[in-house]
Structures are given as structure tokens and as C-alpha cells.
Amino acid sequence: MAENLQSDTMPPNIDGGSLRIAMVVSRFNGLITERLLAGAMEALQRSGTAKDDIEVVYVPGAFELSLAAKKLAARGEYDALIAIGCVIRGETSHYDHVCSETARGLQLAQMDTGVPIIFCVLTCETEEQAMARAGGERGNKGFDSGLAAIEMARLSQKLSKKLSQAAPAGKLRRA
């Protein structure tokens, strides 16, 4: 977000009313991801997004977030998605592969579908670092992701509207 807000602080004039948001949540490191999900739900509901306009889908781990997010986005039913996961470094290079490919997959999913997909995947060295970012001393990154989803959904709507006004259907504007 452009403003430097403390986590869990509602920015002025944020309106999540009438938005449809889907969240894809990794069950792996569930203690952390459930706290991130709670934070995202709080931000969405405090901004006016109706509980019935929020869908939550679970996947086994962070690596599976991309495919589920892409399939949800491709339905055309959601204004934005939030991908929630937590990867904690272990003793092998598995962490690096999961983090890198999850980020790449989510980026490709949003670029392919045009639906904003907010990256709420904690990539931490320790469980303590993750807890600090999931409602601890560093705030709740899930809450921040809920706000980002609303901001990006509204921006996407605004940009799509401007694009459709700028060029009649079937015709491209030339410079």
C-alpha cells in the first residue's frame, strides 16, 4: 500500500462493499495460515465486504496455491484473490524452490487472468518470525493483504473502465 500504515489500521475511505473476494489458504503451517486468514477476513469485513461475498478454499501447501488461484480467477466471479501460505526454512534447499515457484506461479496466474492475486505467503527463517507477522509484534500480514485486495480490485475496475471508454469495442487506439 502506498501509505505507511501500521498493520491492522484501516485507511480512510476504503470500500470493500459489493466486491467478491476469494482466498486460497495453505493447510501446511496451519497455525500461521489460520491467523493470516483471520486477519484478512477482519480487514475485508471491516471495509464492508459481505461475508457471503468471500470464498475460502484450502490447499495442501504453498506450492499448490498457484493452480487453485488460477482456476478461481479464471471463473470470472471474483474481483481479487488472496493467496495465503507460510514457508519456513528447513535444513535443505526445498524452501528456496517452494518460495520461488509459488511466487512465480501466483504472478503468472494474475497476469494470465487479469485478476489481482495478493501474495500473502510468509517466507520466514523461523516459526517465531512467522508468528510475529501473523498477529504478533509485527502485525498481521493477512490484514494488510485484505486491504491490498480491496485496493487492487478497485484499481483494476477503474483501469478496465478507462480502457473500455478509451477504445470502442473491437478497435484499438493508435498513437
Side-chain angles (χ1 to χ4, degrees), residues 71-174:
K71 287 185 176 285
L72 283 167
R75 288 161 124 185
E77 299 174 12
Y78 303 102
D79 298 294
L81 279 80
I82 304 170
I84 298 174
C86 177
V87 185
I88 299 172
R89 186 177 296 278
E91 296 175 1
T92 69
S93 62
H94 182 73
Y95 167 92
D96 298 311
H97 299 292
V98 172
C99 293
S100 175
E101 293 305 308
T102 299
R104 187 173 79 87
L106 291 169
Q107 178 69 349
L108 288 172
Q110 78 173 344
M111 297 304 291
D112 289 348
T113 64
V115 177
I117 300 175
I118 306 306
F119 188 80
C120 182
V121 180
L122 298 182
T123 55
C124 299
E125 298 292 321
T126 66
E127 188 174 335
E128 292 76 25
Q129 288 177 346
M131 290 296 283
R133 289 158 178 78
E137 64 191 38
R138 301 255 181 175
N140 189 313
K141 299 308 176 189
F143 188 93
D144 298 341
S145 295
L147 297 178
I150 294 166
E151 183 176 351
M152 288 304 298
R154 294 293 183 212
L155 178 61
S156 185
Q157 289 173 340
K158 182 180 176 181
L159 294 174
S160 293
K161 184 177 179 182
K162 284 186 177 186
L163 181 62
S164 66
Q165 290 174 349
K171 295 186 179 182
L172 296 175
R173 285 183 69 194
R174 299 191 184 232

XYZ file of all heavy atoms in Angstrom, residues 71-174:
773
model
N -7.354 -21.199 -11.199
C -8.670 -21.755 -11.525
C -9.794 -20.880 -10.961
O -10.805 -20.655 -11.634
C -8.783 -23.193 -11.040
C -7.961 -24.155 -11.894
C -8.173 -25.586 -11.494
C -7.441 -26.530 -12.410
N -8.056 -26.686 -13.714
N -9.625 -20.379 -9.758
C -10.636 -19.487 -9.184
C -10.728 -18.180 -9.974
O -11.819 -17.706 -10.281
C -10.315 -19.179 -7.717
C -10.643 -20.271 -6.718
C -9.987 -19.969 -5.377
C -12.150 -20.421 -6.559
N -9.585 -17.618 -10.306
C -9.576 -16.356 -11.057
C -10.206 -16.540 -12.436
O -10.929 -15.663 -12.916
C -8.148 -15.827 -11.181
N -9.961 -17.673 -13.072
C -10.467 -17.936 -14.420
C -11.993 -18.054 -14.451
O -12.599 -17.874 -15.504
C -9.835 -19.211 -14.978
N -12.610 -18.310 -13.316
C -14.075 -18.383 -13.267
C -14.734 -17.043 -13.595
O -15.884 -17.007 -13.994
C -14.544 -18.794 -11.870
C -14.289 -20.213 -11.507
C -14.367 -20.332 -10.012
N -15.305 -21.296 -9.511
C -15.565 -21.447 -8.212
N -14.983 -20.663 -7.327
N -16.396 -22.355 -7.795
N -14.013 -15.948 -13.352
C -14.576 -14.629 -13.617
C -15.569 -14.159 -12.574
O -16.319 -13.214 -12.800
N -15.561 -14.775 -11.407
C -16.519 -14.448 -10.349
C -15.957 -13.524 -9.276
O -16.706 -13.049 -8.428
C -16.995 -15.734 -9.662
C -17.702 -16.703 -10.570
C -18.025 -18.020 -9.866
O -17.913 -18.093 -8.622
O -18.383 -18.974 -10.578
N -14.643 -13.296 -9.295
C -14.015 -12.579 -8.186
C -13.319 -11.315 -8.667
O -12.751 -11.277 -9.744
C -13.008 -13.499 -7.475
C -13.671 -14.756 -6.993
C -13.526 -15.947 -7.697
C -14.480 -14.742 -5.872
C -14.176 -17.098 -7.273
C -15.135 -15.880 -5.442
C -14.978 -17.058 -6.152
O -15.626 -18.185 -5.738
N -13.355 -10.313 -7.801
C -12.673 -9.050 -8.095
C -11.201 -9.109 -7.711
O -10.386 -8.369 -8.263
C -13.368 -7.901 -7.347
C -14.809 -7.738 -7.794
O -15.015 -7.372 -8.962
O -15.722 -8.013 -6.983
N -10.873 -9.968 -6.766
C -9.481 -10.163 -6.337
C -9.390 -11.464 -5.558
O -10.405 -11.982 -5.077
C -9.001 -9.003 -5.471
N -8.183 -11.976 -5.460
C -7.905 -13.168 -4.667
C -6.767 -12.859 -3.713
O -5.952 -11.962 -3.969
C -7.469 -14.338 -5.558
C -8.566 -15.119 -6.259
C -9.045 -14.397 -7.480
C -8.061 -16.491 -6.624
N -6.719 -13.631 -2.634
C -5.609 -13.556 -1.694
C -5.067 -14.970 -1.543
O -5.816 -15.896 -1.228
C -6.053 -13.008 -0.321
C -6.718 -11.643 -0.468
C -4.855 -12.939 0.637
C -7.394 -11.133 0.802
N -3.775 -15.141 -1.786
C -3.113 -16.434 -1.607
C -2.383 -16.405 -0.275
O -1.490 -15.580 -0.068
C -2.141 -16.694 -2.753
N -2.781 -17.288 0.631
C -2.248 -17.292 1.993
C -1.449 -18.568 2.241
O -1.968 -19.672 2.074
C -3.389 -17.173 3.019
C -4.124 -15.835 2.831
C -2.862 -17.325 4.443
C -5.350 -15.666 3.699
N -0.203 -18.383 2.635
C 0.641 -19.527 2.937
C 1.778 -19.130 3.858
O 1.952 -17.956 4.186
N 2.545 -20.123 4.265
C 3.696 -19.871 5.125
C 4.743 -20.946 4.860
O 4.452 -22.142 4.987
C 3.280 -19.888 6.593
S 4.663 -19.667 7.728
N 5.934 -20.500 4.479
C 7.046 -21.411 4.236
C 8.162 -21.023 5.206
O 8.592 -19.875 5.239
C 7.543 -21.323 2.776
C 8.623 -22.364 2.521
C 6.388 -21.476 1.795
N 8.579 -21.990 6.005
C 9.640 -21.758 6.992
C 10.865 -22.560 6.572
O 10.768 -23.746 6.264
C 9.166 -22.145 8.405
C 7.955 -21.275 8.794
C 10.297 -21.983 9.418
C 7.273 -21.673 10.084
N 12.007 -21.888 6.552
C 13.251 -22.522 6.087
C 13.566 -23.767 6.924
O 13.437 -23.775 8.136
C 14.424 -21.552 6.173
C 15.689 -22.137 5.555
C 16.856 -21.168 5.566
N 16.622 -19.985 4.766
C 16.785 -19.913 3.438
N 17.137 -20.981 2.763
N 16.577 -18.779 2.807
N 13.967 -24.791 6.230
C 14.387 -26.034 6.894
C 15.864 -26.267 6.641
O 16.618 -25.332 6.375
N 16.252 -27.517 6.653
C 17.662 -27.864 6.521
C 18.099 -28.078 5.075
O 19.284 -28.261 4.811
C 17.942 -29.142 7.323
C 17.720 -28.953 8.803
C 17.885 -30.247 9.582
O 18.190 -31.291 8.967
O 17.723 -30.214 10.801
N 17.161 -28.087 4.138
C 17.506 -28.353 2.739
C 17.115 -27.166 1.861
O 16.512 -26.205 2.319
C 16.771 -29.612 2.227
O 15.371 -29.322 2.134
C 16.998 -30.800 3.149
N 17.411 -27.274 0.580
C 17.081 -26.195 -0.363
C 15.620 -26.236 -0.805
O 15.199 -25.405 -1.608
C 18.000 -26.276 -1.584
O 17.806 -27.511 -2.251
N 14.845 -27.148 -0.286
C 13.420 -27.255 -0.626
C 12.707 -25.906 -0.445
O 11.892 -25.505 -1.276
C 12.765 -28.332 0.251
C 11.319 -28.556 -0.032
N 10.882 -29.200 -1.161
C 10.216 -28.225 0.671
C 9.567 -29.263 -1.143
N 9.136 -28.676 -0.044
N 13.029 -25.206 0.630
C 12.457 -23.895 0.940
C 12.605 -22.930 -0.246
O 11.652 -22.280 -0.648
C 13.164 -23.334 2.179
C 12.932 -21.876 2.470
C 11.905 -21.482 3.310
C 13.758 -20.882 1.946
C 11.686 -20.141 3.612
C 13.557 -19.554 2.231
C 12.514 -19.181 3.062
O 12.303 -17.853 3.348
N 13.798 -22.858 -0.806
C 14.068 -21.928 -1.907
C 13.210 -22.242 -3.122
O 12.664 -21.334 -3.752
C 15.548 -21.972 -2.293
C 16.447 -21.550 -1.145
O 16.166 -20.498 -0.534
O 17.406 -22.285 -0.850
N 13.062 -23.505 -3.431
C 12.262 -23.906 -4.590
C 10.783 -23.600 -4.372
O 10.117 -23.070 -5.260
C 12.461 -25.396 -4.901
C 13.876 -25.736 -5.225
N 14.501 -25.308 -6.373
C 14.788 -26.454 -4.540
C 15.742 -25.748 -6.382
N 15.949 -26.452 -5.280
N 10.284 -23.941 -3.202
C 8.867 -23.690 -2.913
C 8.566 -22.197 -2.939
O 7.600 -21.756 -3.573
C 8.451 -24.323 -1.566
C 7.043 -23.885 -1.174
C 8.527 -25.843 -1.644
N 9.388 -21.398 -2.295
C 9.159 -19.946 -2.262
C 9.195 -19.350 -3.666
O 8.291 -18.597 -4.058
C 10.199 -19.253 -1.387
S 10.080 -19.662 0.352
N 10.225 -19.667 -4.405
C 10.406 -19.105 -5.739
C 9.274 -19.499 -6.684
O 8.691 -18.651 -7.378
C 11.751 -19.560 -6.299
O 11.908 -19.121 -7.622
N 8.961 -20.779 -6.719
C 7.940 -21.253 -7.660
C 6.534 -20.841 -7.246
O 5.677 -20.621 -8.108
C 8.043 -22.766 -7.843
C 9.324 -23.174 -8.553
C 9.499 -22.478 -9.901
O 8.574 -22.512 -10.742
O 10.571 -21.887 -10.129
N 6.283 -20.701 -5.965
C 4.977 -20.209 -5.518
C 4.787 -18.762 -5.950
O 3.743 -18.399 -6.500
C 4.836 -20.345 -3.988
O 4.953 -21.730 -3.637
C 3.509 -19.807 -3.497
N 5.794 -17.944 -5.742
C 5.709 -16.543 -6.166
C 5.543 -16.443 -7.678
O 4.696 -15.688 -8.174
C 6.963 -15.787 -5.714
N 6.314 -17.216 -8.407
C 6.229 -17.188 -9.876
C 4.857 -17.663 -10.344
O 4.252 -17.053 -11.220
C 7.339 -18.062 -10.475
C 7.432 -17.960 -12.002
C 8.657 -18.704 -12.516
N 8.463 -20.126 -12.578
C 7.925 -20.764 -13.627
N 7.541 -20.088 -14.684
N 7.803 -22.065 -13.612
N 4.381 -18.738 -9.769
C 3.084 -19.272 -10.171
C 1.947 -18.304 -9.910
O 1.050 -18.137 -10.749
N 1.976 -17.639 -8.780
C 0.915 -16.674 -8.470
C 0.994 -15.459 -9.382
O -0.028 -14.936 -9.836
C 0.975 -16.273 -6.991
C 0.581 -17.387 -6.023
C 0.917 -17.005 -4.596
C -0.898 -17.728 -6.160
N 2.203 -15.010 -9.678
C 2.361 -13.888 -10.612
C 1.835 -14.257 -11.998
O 1.129 -13.478 -12.632
C 3.827 -13.458 -10.686
C 4.097 -12.343 -11.664
C 3.495 -11.006 -11.225
O 2.706 -10.890 -10.299
N 3.866 -9.964 -11.920
N 2.179 -15.445 -12.472
C 1.683 -15.891 -13.781
C 0.167 -16.013 -13.782
O -0.490 -15.641 -14.760
C 2.318 -17.232 -14.162
C 3.791 -17.182 -14.554
C 4.346 -18.594 -14.723
C 4.000 -16.365 -15.812
N -0.404 -16.508 -12.694
C -1.860 -16.663 -12.606
C -2.559 -15.308 -12.719
O -3.552 -15.177 -13.440
C -2.243 -17.358 -11.300
N -2.029 -14.298 -12.044
C -2.695 -12.996 -12.138
C -2.457 -12.340 -13.496
O -3.348 -11.691 -14.042
C -2.342 -12.084 -10.973
C -1.023 -11.410 -10.998
C -0.884 -10.408 -9.862
O -1.851 -9.987 -9.222
N 0.334 -10.005 -9.608
N -1.304 -12.556 -14.074
C -1.053 -11.991 -15.399
C -1.901 -12.686 -16.464
O -2.407 -12.047 -17.377
C 0.439 -12.097 -15.747
C 1.349 -11.313 -14.818
S 0.952 -9.561 -14.679
C 1.394 -9.008 -16.302
N -2.067 -13.998 -16.350
C -2.873 -14.753 -17.323
C -4.354 -14.422 -17.237
O -5.050 -14.420 -18.244
C -2.698 -16.264 -17.122
C -1.333 -16.767 -17.553
O -0.577 -16.017 -18.211
O -1.011 -17.926 -17.219
N -4.854 -14.172 -16.024
C -6.295 -13.969 -15.841
C -6.704 -12.505 -15.747
O -7.869 -12.189 -15.962
C -6.782 -14.684 -14.567
O -6.145 -14.089 -13.430
C -6.496 -16.179 -14.627
N -5.781 -11.634 -15.386
C -6.113 -10.230 -15.195
C -6.778 -9.940 -13.863
O -7.201 -8.816 -13.599
N -6.873 -10.937 -13.014
C -7.475 -10.763 -11.687
C -6.348 -10.556 -10.680
O -5.419 -11.375 -10.624
C -8.328 -11.992 -11.295
C -8.881 -11.842 -9.882
C -9.456 -12.203 -12.299
N -6.407 -9.495 -9.875
C -5.366 -9.284 -8.877
C -5.299 -10.458 -7.888
O -6.326 -10.893 -7.373
C -5.805 -8.012 -8.144
C -6.774 -7.341 -9.058
C -7.426 -8.432 -9.848
N -4.098 -10.966 -7.661
C -3.876 -12.027 -6.688
C -2.842 -11.510 -5.698
O -1.687 -11.286 -6.060
C -3.406 -13.337 -7.347
C -4.460 -13.826 -8.350
C -3.129 -14.396 -6.273
C -4.054 -15.055 -9.146
N -3.275 -11.299 -4.480
C -2.410 -10.738 -3.453
C -1.549 -11.844 -2.844
O -2.042 -12.896 -2.465
C -3.256 -10.042 -2.357
C -4.206 -9.005 -2.980
C -2.349 -9.416 -1.303
C -3.560 -7.967 -3.877
N -0.261 -11.575 -2.752
C 0.724 -12.535 -2.253
C 0.842 -12.399 -0.736
O 1.498 -11.497 -0.226
C 2.072 -12.264 -2.925
C 3.123 -13.289 -2.635
C 3.138 -14.490 -3.326
C 4.111 -13.058 -1.700
C 4.125 -15.444 -3.096
C 5.100 -13.996 -1.447
C 5.107 -15.194 -2.139
N 0.167 -13.275 -0.027
C 0.238 -13.293 1.439
C 0.882 -14.617 1.851
O 0.278 -15.421 2.566
C -1.152 -13.130 2.037
S -1.154 -13.080 3.849
N 2.067 -14.845 1.345
C 2.815 -16.056 1.666
C 4.037 -15.626 2.465
O 4.944 -14.988 1.922
C 3.231 -16.824 0.395
C 4.022 -18.080 0.768
C 2.018 -17.173 -0.454
N 4.021 -15.933 3.742
C 5.171 -15.606 4.572
C 6.318 -16.544 4.217
O 6.115 -17.751 4.065
C 4.834 -15.756 6.056
C 3.731 -14.861 6.611
C 3.576 -15.125 8.115
C 3.993 -13.401 6.334
N 7.494 -15.993 4.069
C 8.701 -16.782 3.819
C 9.688 -16.413 4.918
O 10.349 -15.386 4.841
C 9.265 -16.502 2.415
O 9.489 -15.098 2.276
C 8.285 -16.941 1.341
N 9.736 -17.229 5.938
C 10.473 -16.879 7.151
C 11.561 -17.897 7.471
O 11.507 -19.052 7.056
C 9.500 -16.801 8.327
S 8.214 -15.546 8.104
N 12.517 -17.450 8.237
C 13.597 -18.313 8.702
C 13.140 -19.198 9.856
O 13.609 -20.323 9.990
C 14.791 -17.469 9.146
C 15.405 -16.631 8.043
C 16.087 -17.467 6.976
O 16.741 -18.481 7.322
O 15.956 -17.120 5.794
N 12.248 -18.678 10.703
C 11.826 -19.409 11.899
C 10.315 -19.273 12.104
O 9.677 -18.340 11.586
C 12.515 -18.865 13.160
O 12.067 -17.523 13.387
C 14.041 -18.892 13.032
N 9.779 -20.176 12.910
C 8.363 -20.094 13.266
C 8.090 -18.820 14.071
O 7.022 -18.217 13.927
C 7.957 -21.327 14.077
C 6.456 -21.387 14.313
C 6.003 -22.675 14.977
O 6.693 -23.707 14.856
O 4.938 -22.631 15.617
N 9.030 -18.390 14.865
C 8.857 -17.165 15.656
C 8.677 -15.950 14.740
O 7.852 -15.078 15.008
C 10.050 -16.948 16.599
C 10.156 -17.967 17.720
C 10.688 -19.332 17.277
O 11.418 -19.422 16.255
O 10.349 -20.324 17.952
N 9.461 -15.884 13.667
C 9.306 -14.787 12.705
C 7.924 -14.828 12.071
O 7.287 -13.790 11.877
C 10.366 -14.876 11.607
C 11.755 -14.522 12.045
C 12.768 -14.709 10.918
O 12.483 -15.331 9.889
N 13.965 -14.181 11.116
N 7.464 -16.012 11.740
C 6.146 -16.148 11.126
C 5.044 -15.706 12.097
O 4.122 -14.970 11.712
C 5.920 -17.594 10.677
N 5.128 -16.140 13.338
C 4.123 -15.756 14.338
C 4.097 -14.244 14.548
O 3.030 -13.661 14.727
C 4.391 -16.474 15.666
C 4.116 -17.970 15.617
S 2.392 -18.375 15.317
C 1.717 -18.074 16.930
N 5.265 -13.625 14.504
C 5.338 -12.170 14.680
C 4.601 -11.440 13.567
O 4.092 -10.337 13.771
C 6.794 -11.712 14.730
N 4.503 -12.055 12.379
C 3.855 -11.436 11.219
C 2.414 -11.922 11.030
O 1.732 -11.495 10.111
C 4.678 -11.732 9.964
C 5.980 -10.965 9.953
C 7.029 -11.596 9.054
N 8.246 -10.792 9.030
C 9.157 -10.781 9.988
N 9.006 -11.531 11.068
N 10.236 -10.025 9.900
N 1.978 -12.811 11.877
C 0.623 -13.366 11.780
C -0.172 -12.996 13.031
O -0.805 -13.832 13.667
C 0.689 -14.879 11.610
N -0.101 -11.726 13.391
C -0.848 -11.231 14.539
C 0.006 -10.946 15.753
O -0.517 -10.590 16.803
N 1.308 -11.068 15.609
C 2.212 -10.791 16.724
C 2.726 -9.366 16.680
O 2.066 -8.455 16.182
N 3.948 -9.194 17.134
C 4.538 -7.856 17.262
C 4.715 -7.126 15.933
O 4.844 -5.908 15.903
C 5.887 -7.955 17.986
C 6.923 -8.737 17.210
C 8.158 -9.079 18.004
O 8.031 -9.393 19.195
O 9.249 -9.026 17.413
N 4.727 -7.829 14.827
C 4.867 -7.209 13.503
C 3.518 -7.027 12.813
O 3.459 -6.798 11.612
C 5.779 -8.055 12.619
C 7.149 -8.247 13.190
C 8.111 -7.407 12.483
N 9.437 -7.616 13.019
C 10.479 -7.058 12.508
N 10.374 -6.296 11.459
N 11.656 -7.252 13.057
N 2.428 -7.173 13.558
C 1.093 -7.009 12.982
C 0.612 -8.287 12.324
O 1.135 -9.366 12.580
N -0.394 -8.151 11.497
C -0.939 -9.316 10.798
C -0.907 -9.023 9.305
O -1.652 -8.180 8.804
C -2.362 -9.614 11.267
C -2.867 -10.933 10.733
O -2.729 -11.235 9.551
N -3.483 -11.719 11.604
N -0.018 -9.722 8.605
C 0.123 -9.512 7.157
C -1.129 -9.964 6.409
O -1.367 -9.526 5.288
C 1.372 -10.224 6.622
C 2.661 -9.725 7.256
C 2.776 -8.209 7.186
C 4.006 -7.705 7.909
N 4.035 -6.249 8.042
N -1.941 -10.808 7.020
C -3.232 -11.163 6.425
C -4.151 -9.955 6.361
O -4.823 -9.725 5.354
N -4.164 -9.167 7.420
C -4.958 -7.937 7.451
C -4.499 -6.998 6.334
O -5.312 -6.480 5.567
C -4.825 -7.255 8.822
C -5.755 -6.097 9.021
C -6.979 -6.281 9.621
C -5.393 -4.812 8.626
C -7.847 -5.205 9.823
C -6.239 -3.742 8.813
C -7.482 -3.931 9.410
N -3.189 -6.825 6.234
C -2.631 -5.970 5.185
C -3.023 -6.478 3.795
O -3.317 -5.697 2.889
C -1.107 -5.916 5.283
C -0.614 -5.310 6.589
O -1.383 -4.617 7.271
O 0.571 -5.540 6.923
N -3.040 -7.792 3.630
C -3.397 -8.386 2.342
C -4.870 -8.175 2.016
O -5.224 -7.991 0.848
C -3.068 -9.880 2.343
O -1.677 -10.055 2.451
N -5.716 -8.195 3.017
C -7.131 -7.891 2.794
C -7.309 -6.482 2.256
O -8.071 -6.250 1.306
N -6.598 -5.535 2.838
C -6.664 -4.148 2.361
C -6.103 -4.036 0.939
O -6.663 -3.330 0.092
C -5.891 -3.221 3.303
C -6.410 -3.112 4.732
C -5.509 -2.189 5.551
C -7.857 -2.659 4.780
N -5.001 -4.727 0.679
C -4.397 -4.697 -0.658
C -5.347 -5.287 -1.697
O -5.426 -4.785 -2.827
C -3.069 -5.453 -0.660
N -6.084 -6.329 -1.333
C -7.047 -6.936 -2.260
C -8.133 -5.932 -2.648
O -8.491 -5.824 -3.827
C -7.667 -8.186 -1.637
N -8.618 -5.196 -1.688
C -9.647 -4.187 -1.973
C -9.070 -3.083 -2.859
O -9.679 -2.691 -3.855
C -10.202 -3.594 -0.664
C -10.964 -4.683 0.104
C -11.097 -2.385 -0.943
C -11.265 -4.312 1.527
N -7.900 -2.603 -2.503
C -7.271 -1.534 -3.288
C -7.031 -1.973 -4.734
O -7.326 -1.237 -5.684
C -5.960 -1.105 -2.638
C -5.298 0.046 -3.361
C -4.041 0.549 -2.675
O -3.740 0.142 -1.536
O -3.342 1.374 -3.300
N -6.516 -3.169 -4.911
C -6.230 -3.653 -6.269
C -7.502 -3.972 -7.046
O -7.559 -3.761 -8.267
C -5.294 -4.861 -6.220
C -3.868 -4.503 -5.840
S -3.129 -3.239 -6.920
C -3.171 -4.078 -8.500
N -8.525 -4.468 -6.366
C -9.807 -4.730 -7.041
C -10.391 -3.425 -7.562
O -10.840 -3.345 -8.717
C -10.781 -5.415 -6.089
N -10.378 -2.404 -6.738
C -10.917 -1.098 -7.154
C -10.065 -0.486 -8.268
O -10.606 0.074 -9.226
C -11.004 -0.134 -5.963
C -12.003 -0.544 -4.909
C -13.410 -0.462 -5.421
N -14.348 -0.799 -4.357
C -15.510 -1.386 -4.556
N -15.901 -1.702 -5.775
N -16.295 -1.648 -3.546
N -8.753 -0.592 -8.165
C -7.884 -0.060 -9.210
C -8.115 -0.806 -10.522
O -8.201 -0.189 -11.591
C -6.414 -0.161 -8.794
C -5.397 0.313 -9.836
C -5.594 1.785 -10.174
C -3.979 0.061 -9.336
N -8.237 -2.106 -10.454
C -8.475 -2.908 -11.647
C -9.798 -2.511 -12.307
O -9.876 -2.365 -13.531
C -8.487 -4.394 -11.280
O -8.610 -5.186 -12.421
N -10.838 -2.302 -11.495
C -12.127 -1.843 -12.031
C -11.980 -0.495 -12.714
O -12.483 -0.286 -13.814
C -13.162 -1.740 -10.909
C -13.624 -3.056 -10.362
C -14.526 -2.905 -9.142
O -14.547 -1.872 -8.471
N -15.267 -3.965 -8.842
N -11.275 0.405 -12.064
C -11.076 1.755 -12.604
C -10.304 1.721 -13.921
O -10.690 2.364 -14.900
C -10.329 2.604 -11.570
C -10.091 4.032 -11.978
C -9.347 4.763 -10.855
C -9.012 6.167 -11.244
N -8.271 6.871 -10.183
N -9.237 0.953 -13.958
C -8.424 0.873 -15.172
C -9.186 0.188 -16.305
O -9.073 0.596 -17.464
C -7.115 0.154 -14.895
C -6.158 0.877 -13.951
C -4.954 0.004 -13.635
C -5.735 2.221 -14.502
N -9.953 -0.842 -15.994
C -10.753 -1.522 -17.022
C -11.804 -0.592 -17.599
O -12.059 -0.588 -18.801
C -11.428 -2.765 -16.445
O -10.459 -3.726 -16.117
N -12.405 0.210 -16.737
C -13.420 1.179 -17.176
C -12.799 2.215 -18.098
O -13.339 2.526 -19.148
C -14.064 1.855 -15.962
C -15.177 2.797 -16.310
C -15.806 3.379 -15.053
C -16.903 4.356 -15.409
N -17.488 4.957 -14.212
N -11.629 2.726 -17.718
C -10.949 3.728 -18.555
C -10.564 3.134 -19.899
O -10.686 3.785 -20.920
C -9.720 4.284 -17.836
C -10.065 5.265 -16.746
C -8.827 5.899 -16.171
C -9.246 6.924 -15.123
N -8.121 7.669 -14.614
N -10.097 1.895 -19.908
C -9.713 1.243 -21.146
C -10.913 1.077 -22.067
O -10.839 1.357 -23.259
C -9.061 -0.111 -20.864
C -8.584 -0.900 -22.078
C -7.505 -0.122 -22.817
C -8.060 -2.249 -21.649
N -12.048 0.644 -21.518
C -13.227 0.438 -22.356
C -13.786 1.763 -22.871
O -14.358 1.822 -23.952
C -14.304 -0.343 -21.607
O -14.812 0.418 -20.533
N -13.609 2.844 -22.139
C -14.052 4.159 -22.591
C -13.111 4.733 -23.645
O -13.527 5.467 -24.520
C -14.135 5.135 -21.412
C -15.262 4.828 -20.466
C -15.216 5.729 -19.246
O -14.248 6.441 -18.993
N -16.283 5.685 -18.462
N -11.839 4.371 -23.566
C -10.836 4.929 -24.464
C -10.916 4.352 -25.872
O -10.632 5.039 -26.844
C -9.434 4.707 -23.904
N -11.293 3.085 -25.993
C -11.328 2.439 -27.305
C -12.652 1.709 -27.477
O -12.986 0.858 -26.675
C -10.178 1.449 -27.439
N -13.408 2.044 -28.523
C -14.646 1.302 -28.779
C -14.347 -0.183 -28.965
O -13.255 -0.554 -29.386
C -15.171 1.908 -30.081
C -14.477 3.220 -30.215
C -13.165 3.086 -29.485
N -15.317 -1.008 -28.642
C -15.136 -2.461 -28.736
C -14.630 -2.849 -30.118
O -15.139 -2.404 -31.135
C -16.448 -3.176 -28.433
N -13.591 -3.679 -30.144
C -13.053 -4.174 -31.402
C -12.080 -3.229 -32.087
O -11.544 -3.549 -33.130
N -11.870 -2.047 -31.543
C -10.954 -1.089 -32.180
C -9.869 -0.686 -31.192
O -10.139 -0.389 -30.040
C -11.695 0.156 -32.626
C -12.714 -0.117 -33.717
C -13.315 1.176 -34.211
C -14.316 0.868 -35.309
N -14.906 2.079 -35.859
N -8.667 -0.665 -31.649
C -7.550 -0.235 -30.833
C -7.205 1.207 -31.164
O -7.271 1.623 -32.320
C -6.318 -1.105 -31.096
C -6.451 -2.576 -30.726
C -5.202 -3.322 -31.156
C -6.656 -2.724 -29.248
N -6.842 1.956 -30.167
C -6.372 3.321 -30.405
C -4.931 3.258 -30.829
O -4.137 2.505 -30.312
C -6.472 4.135 -29.109
C -7.897 4.525 -28.792
C -7.943 5.380 -27.554
N -7.323 6.666 -27.868
C -6.957 7.544 -26.943
N -7.101 7.279 -25.688
N -6.434 8.690 -27.281
N -4.576 4.048 -31.783
C -3.186 4.120 -32.249
C -2.591 5.462 -31.849
O -3.239 6.476 -31.895
C -3.120 3.947 -33.755
C -3.663 2.584 -34.125
C -3.357 2.282 -35.554
N -3.981 1.017 -35.863
C -3.343 0.018 -36.400
N -2.090 0.133 -36.693
N -3.970 -1.101 -36.651
